[in-house]
Amino acid sequence: MRTSRLEAFSDGVLAIIITIMVLELKVPDEPTLVALGDSATGFLTYLLSFVYIGIYWNNHHHMFHVVESINGTVLWANLHLLFWLSLYPFTTAWLDESQLARTPTVVYGINLLAAAVAYYVLQLAIFRSPGGERLRTALGRDLKGKVSPAIYLAGILLAFVSPLLAVLCYVLVAVIWLVPDRRVERFVAASNPSQP
Amino acid sequence: MRTSRLEAFSDGVLAIIITIMVLELKVPDEPTLVALGDSATGFLTYLLSFVYIGIYWNNHHHMFHVVESINGTVLWANLHLLFWLSLYPFTTAWLDESQLARTPTVVYGINLLAAAVAYYVLQLAIFRSPGGERLRTALGRDLKGKVSPAIYLAGILLAFVSPLLAVLCYVLVAVIWLVPDRRVERFVAASNPSQP
Amino acid sequence: MRTSRLEAFSDGVLAIIITIMVLELKVPDEPTLVALGDSATGFLTYLLSFVYIGIYWNNHHHMFHVVESINGTVLWANLHLLFWLSLYPFTTAWLDESQLARTPTVVYGINLLAAAVAYYVLQLAIFRSPGGERLRTALGRDLKGKVSPAIYLAGILLAFVSPLLAVLCYVLVAVIWLVPDRRVERFVAASNPSQP
Amino acid sequence: MRTSRLEAFSDGVLAIIITIMVLELKVPDEPTLVALGDSATGFLTYLLSFVYIGIYWNNHHHMFHVVESINGTVLWANLHLLFWLSLYPFTTAWLDESQLARTPTVVYGINLLAAAVAYYVLQLAIFRSPGGERLRTALGRDLKGKVSPAIYLAGILLAFVSPLLAVLCYVLVAVIWLVPDRRVERFVAASNPSQP
């Protein structure tokens, strides 16, 4: 199977996920700034999940750039990743509606972690398929990919102290992947396409 | 007509179906694990339907890989299949909200069966179009495709005994298509791309 | 501008329209056949609109098959068509929820008519662009395209007698476009790609 | 990175935004013309946002037509634009449901302005990437692009006098971009692809 149709399908699913999340943003009942202020949490959680899907789309694209052909394992590992990403609208909406309560914050973190693990599993599946060695070389030490799950885990645990600290951890991972900071890049060395 | 645009349109529809099903997952009212537990049925039925759409996308892709060009009959047989698949979000949501009550379980099974029949009709339409003979050869005895409707029917009937048994039948078909078990593969012989 | 991106965008919009209509189907409150029976109107109106979008997608594809390049007028005429088609979920849902009341039936007919007119305007715009002459030849007398608006109008007027008669008119147009009846085809002669 | 996948992803997101906005249109409770009349504001605001997304899609297409390859900055500048555009369904729904109240009108204008600024930032990012000089030449003085934000700002301020005046400003910008008026074109000179 060529990668083009898998890429097109994944693009479609990611484009839909990133867009339907906005449907979870409740339109304020009153036409006032105060009522809009109640949507602030929703707006920020939406932004966070939007950035995450953007990062995954970006990395997903880089990853399949190196791959030549795919087998059934890669195909299902990819659908497995899309499954966890497709739950973002659900966990994001719960996080928002509960105003960052503890349980939804933990569940959101678990969703982020599950997607990261699914991305890692997808990488392993690609490593073993034709052309997979090239991806392994391109990834190098993949420090970003190894640090992210640890920060997710820290966030999930910190949620029991304070949900806000947990969300800060989730934001931190997004920033690590987002900001092309030269110092970070030198520190992280050759960690190009990988999971957040 | 080339197959590329039919494939792209089908990919789009399947990507949307697989993603909007998550909109049917009700966000829990309370920020507690107990409230999330009430979503467990929804989560599992979503997972089941997700896997089914994934299987159809996979098989659909293989099927049109062999086909060279399509006529009006194939085009409408394809839209007929997409119609039944587009009802999955509806029947899945009903199955979930009723907590696996008998009637919704039967209706869900009928939906699965209708999609399988539509897939079979699409295959017949392709058999008669240019290049269709190649698909017939590729399918071979197509044991998976012949066994699935029987298990669906068994599930629909078993729902009158116990809806849970019916759902187990539906899960069984998904597993048959999903797991690339070597023994099953030898048993099922040369049954590559076909309907679940 | 090449036609490929316009086709891809239109395919995307049509795929989304055809799929999100199912979101308007209300999940029955009770897990009973009686409750599902209340969704029968919704199911049938969904089917009708699904077939209409399918016909438009089919004809749209044929139409741009002949066209070589497009200008700004064609682009906006195409968006104009997509606008009216994007209202189908809205007018279909109203038709369904009112159980085929008179006003929603008239409004649905007006929506069908507006889309047909938009399709006709798009044809005219293409006639005047490079390669447009080929479409004019391909269309021939375009009897289907000329008869459809008349039947829509008849339906809209008949809604004041009985909404059911109006809906039958709308179904009739879909059938005319759907069924590749040989006698009809001989009668309608060379009317390939056109609006319903 | 090639531009093709970025274009495909953007097309997907824009196609979804333009289509899901119709989900915000509330189906009238009563099957009467009076009840439909209450949806008039919704219909017109939907039309306005539909036209805006259409303009952005059109200009976006022209813009990437000249570009050869893209880097990480262009990619994120593009996602930044898509983020603001993805909020259109939200701000449009609020504008509609409040029947053009002051605060939602201001917020809608800010959304339009933010998207215009994001488009401008995307242009700057492209200017600095390979082939970017060609876009700069193609844009010329870009009068439309410079006038639009000023009119948005005027609209936002006028909302404090009368929300209707503000909406007229927003309509004016759409018309400027929509109508290929020869006089305007001569006046605006060589301002082809740019932001509204």
Side-chain angles (χ1 to χ4, degrees):
Chain A
M1 193 195 273
R2 297 148 301 167
T3 62
S4 61
R5 226 188 131 177
L6 184 140
E7 286 182 277
F9 183 74
S10 306
D11 274 9
V13 171
L14 292 177
I16 297 156
I17 293 172
I18 215 170
T19 321
I20 61 170
M21 276 192 299
V22 87
L23 292 177
E24 306 283 2
L25 275 180
K26 296 281 174 306
V27 173
D29 293 326
E30 301 288 314
T32 60
L33 269 182
V34 176
L36 185 65
D38 294 341
S39 299
T41 325
F43 187 82
L44 293 173
T45 51
Y46 173 59
L47 177 59
L48 181 60
S49 295
F50 189 99
V51 168
Y52 264 115
I53 300 289
I55 292 168
Y56 270 107
W57 174 69
N58 191 359
N59 291 343
H60 191 272
H61 177 61
H62 279 109
M63 187 157 72
F64 280 92
H65 205 63
V66 227
V67 180
E68 283 150 18
S69 74
I70 51 170
N71 52 33
T73 314
V74 170
L75 189 141
W76 280 105
N78 186 57
L79 277 169
H80 177 232
L81 169 65
L82 292 180
F83 175 74
W84 289 110
L85 294 178
S86 79
L87 289 176
Y88 276 28
F90 173 76
T91 52
T92 305
W94 200 28
L95 185 66
D96 158 28
E97 285 180 21
S98 73
Q99 300 282 320
L100 311 188
R102 181 176 300 146
T103 312
T105 309
V106 169
V107 169
Y108 184 74
I110 291 172
N111 195 359
L112 295 179
L113 185 61
V117 169
Y119 193 95
Y120 185 72
V121 169
L122 175 56
Q123 263 182 8
L124 292 183
I126 290 177
F127 284 169
R128 288 179 197 149
S129 67
E133 274 310 309
R134 292 173 61 203
L135 180 64
R136 199 195 287 268
T137 316
L139 279 174
R141 283 165 54 208
D142 190 20
L143 222 77
K144 278 189 188 183
K146 276 167 193 152
V147 162
S148 304
I151 307 181
Y152 288 143
L153 260 176
I156 291 167
L157 294 174
L158 279 170
F160 292 94
V161 182
S162 155
L164 204 66
L165 283 176
V167 173
L168 285 179
C169 287
Y170 308 153
V171 170
L172 179 65
V173 177
V175 169
I176 288 177
W177 286 94
L178 197 55
V179 179
D181 187 348
R182 291 299 157 201
R183 285 169 305 170
V184 170
E185 277 192 348
R186 269 200 295 273
F187 180 72
V188 179
S191 63
N192 281 12
S194 184
Q195 99 269 26
Chain B
M1 192 196 272
R2 295 149 302 168
T3 63
S4 61
R5 225 187 133 178
L6 183 140
E7 285 182 278
F9 185 74
S10 305
D11 274 8
V13 171
L14 292 176
I16 297 156
I17 293 172
I18 216 171
T19 321
I20 62 171
M21 276 192 298
V22 86
L23 292 176
E24 306 283 3
L25 275 181
K26 296 282 173 306
V27 174
D29 292 328
E30 300 288 314
T32 60
L33 270 182
V34 176
L36 185 65
D38 294 341
S39 299
T41 326
F43 186 82
L44 293 173
T45 51
Y46 173 59
L47 176 60
L48 181 60
S49 295
F50 189 99
V51 168
Y52 264 115
I53 300 289
I55 292 168
Y56 271 107
W57 174 69
N58 191 0
N59 291 343
H60 191 273
H61 177 61
H62 279 110
M63 185 157 72
F64 280 93
H65 205 63
V66 228
V67 181
E68 284 151 18
S69 73
I70 51 169
N71 52 34
T73 314
V74 170
L75 190 140
W76 280 104
N78 186 58
L79 277 169
H80 178 232
L81 170 64
L82 292 181
F83 175 74
W84 289 110
L85 293 179
S86 79
L87 289 177
Y88 276 27
F90 173 77
T91 52
T92 305
W94 200 28
L95 186 66
D96 159 27
E97 285 181 22
S98 74
Q99 300 283 320
L100 311 189
R102 181 175 300 146
T103 312
T105 309
V106 170
V107 169
Y108 184 74
I110 291 172
N111 195 359
L112 295 179
L113 185 61
V117 170
Y119 193 95
Y120 186 72
V121 169
L122 175 56
Q123 263 183 8
L124 292 184
I126 290 177
F127 283 169
R128 288 178 197 150
S129 67
E133 274 309 310
R134 292 173 61 203
L135 180 64
R136 198 194 288 269
T137 316
L139 279 174
R141 283 165 54 209
D142 189 20
L143 223 77
K144 278 188 188 183
K146 277 167 193 153
V147 162
S148 304
I151 307 180
Y152 288 143
L153 261 175
I156 291 167
L157 294 174
L158 279 171
F160 292 94
V161 183
S162 154
L164 205 65
L165 283 176
V167 173
L168 285 178
C169 287
Y170 307 154
V171 170
L172 178 65
V173 178
V175 168
I176 287 177
W177 286 94
L178 197 56
V179 179
D181 187 348
R182 290 297 157 203
R183 286 169 302 170
V184 171
E185 277 191 350
R186 269 198 295 271
F187 181 72
V188 180
S191 63
N192 281 13
S194 185
Q195 99 269 23
Chain C
M1 193 197 271
R2 298 149 300 167
T3 62
S4 60
R5 228 188 128 177
L6 184 139
E7 286 182 277
F9 184 75
S10 306
D11 275 7
V13 171
L14 292 176
I16 297 157
I17 293 172
I18 216 171
T19 320
I20 62 171
M21 277 192 298
V22 88
L23 292 177
E24 306 284 2
L25 274 181
K26 295 282 173 304
V27 173
D29 292 327
E30 301 288 314
T32 60
L33 270 182
V34 176
L36 184 65
D38 293 342
S39 299
T41 326
F43 187 81
L44 292 173
T45 52
Y46 173 58
L47 177 59
L48 181 60
S49 295
F50 189 99
V51 168
Y52 264 116
I53 300 289
I55 293 168
Y56 271 108
W57 174 70
N58 191 0
N59 291 343
H60 191 272
H61 176 61
H62 279 110
M63 185 158 71
F64 280 93
H65 206 63
V66 229
V67 181
E68 284 150 18
S69 72
I70 50 169
N71 53 33
T73 313
V74 170
L75 189 140
W76 280 104
N78 186 58
L79 277 170
H80 178 232
L81 170 65
L82 292 181
F83 175 75
W84 289 110
L85 294 179
S86 79
L87 289 177
Y88 277 27
F90 174 77
T91 52
T92 304
W94 200 28
L95 186 65
D96 159 28
E97 284 180 21
S98 74
Q99 300 283 320
L100 310 189
R102 180 175 300 145
T103 311
T105 309
V106 170
V107 169
Y108 184 75
I110 291 173
N111 195 359
L112 294 179
L113 185 60
V117 170
Y119 194 95
Y120 186 71
V121 169
L122 175 56
Q123 263 182 7
L124 291 184
I126 290 177
F127 284 168
R128 288 178 196 149
S129 66
E133 274 309 310
R134 291 173 61 201
L135 180 64
R136 198 195 288 267
T137 316
L139 279 175
R141 283 164 53 209
D142 190 20
L143 222 77
K144 278 188 187 182
K146 276 166 193 152
V147 162
S148 304
I151 307 180
Y152 288 144
L153 260 176
I156 291 168
L157 293 174
L158 279 170
F160 292 95
V161 183
S162 155
L164 205 65
L165 283 176
V167 173
L168 285 178
C169 287
Y170 307 154
V171 170
L172 178 65
V173 177
V175 169
I176 288 178
W177 286 93
L178 199 55
V179 179
D181 188 348
R182 291 298 157 203
R183 286 169 303 168
V184 171
E185 276 192 349
R186 270 199 295 271
F187 181 72
V188 180
S191 63
N192 281 12
S194 183
Q195 98 270 23
Chain D
M1 193 196 272
R2 298 148 300 167
T3 63
S4 61
R5 227 189 130 177
L6 184 140
E7 286 182 277
F9 184 74
S10 306
D11 275 8
V13 171
L14 292 176
I16 297 157
I17 293 172
I18 215 171
T19 321
I20 62 170
M21 277 192 298
V22 87
L23 292 177
E24 305 283 2
L25 275 181
K26 296 283 174 303
V27 174
D29 293 326
E30 301 287 315
T32 60
L33 270 182
V34 176
L36 185 64
D38 294 342
S39 300
T41 325
F43 187 81
L44 293 173
T45 51
Y46 173 59
L47 177 59
L48 181 59
S49 295
F50 189 98
V51 168
Y52 265 116
I53 300 289
I55 293 168
Y56 271 107
W57 174 70
N58 192 0
N59 291 343
H60 190 273
H61 177 61
H62 278 110
M63 185 157 73
F64 280 93
H65 205 63
V66 229
V67 181
E68 284 151 17
S69 73
I70 51 169
N71 52 34
T73 314
V74 170
L75 189 141
W76 280 104
N78 187 57
L79 277 169
H80 177 232
L81 170 64
L82 293 180
F83 175 74
W84 289 110
L85 293 179
S86 80
L87 289 176
Y88 276 28
F90 174 76
T91 52
T92 305
W94 200 27
L95 186 66
D96 159 28
E97 284 180 21
S98 73
Q99 299 282 319
L100 311 188
R102 181 175 300 145
T103 312
T105 309
V106 170
V107 169
Y108 184 74
I110 291 172
N111 195 359
L112 294 179
L113 185 61
V117 169
Y119 194 95
Y120 186 71
V121 168
L122 175 57
Q123 263 183 9
L124 291 183
I126 290 177
F127 284 168
R128 288 179 196 148
S129 67
E133 274 309 310
R134 292 172 60 202
L135 180 64
R136 199 195 288 269
T137 316
L139 279 175
R141 283 164 55 207
D142 190 19
L143 222 77
K144 279 188 187 183
K146 276 166 193 152
V147 162
S148 304
I151 307 180
Y152 288 143
L153 260 176
I156 291 167
L157 294 175
L158 279 170
F160 292 94
V161 183
S162 155
L164 205 66
L165 283 176
V167 172
L168 285 178
C169 287
Y170 307 154
V171 170
L172 179 65
V173 177
V175 168
I176 288 178
W177 286 93
L178 198 55
V179 180
D181 187 349
R182 291 297 158 203
R183 286 168 305 169
V184 170
E185 276 193 348
R186 270 199 295 272
F187 181 72
V188 180
S191 63
N192 281 12
S194 183
Q195 98 268 25

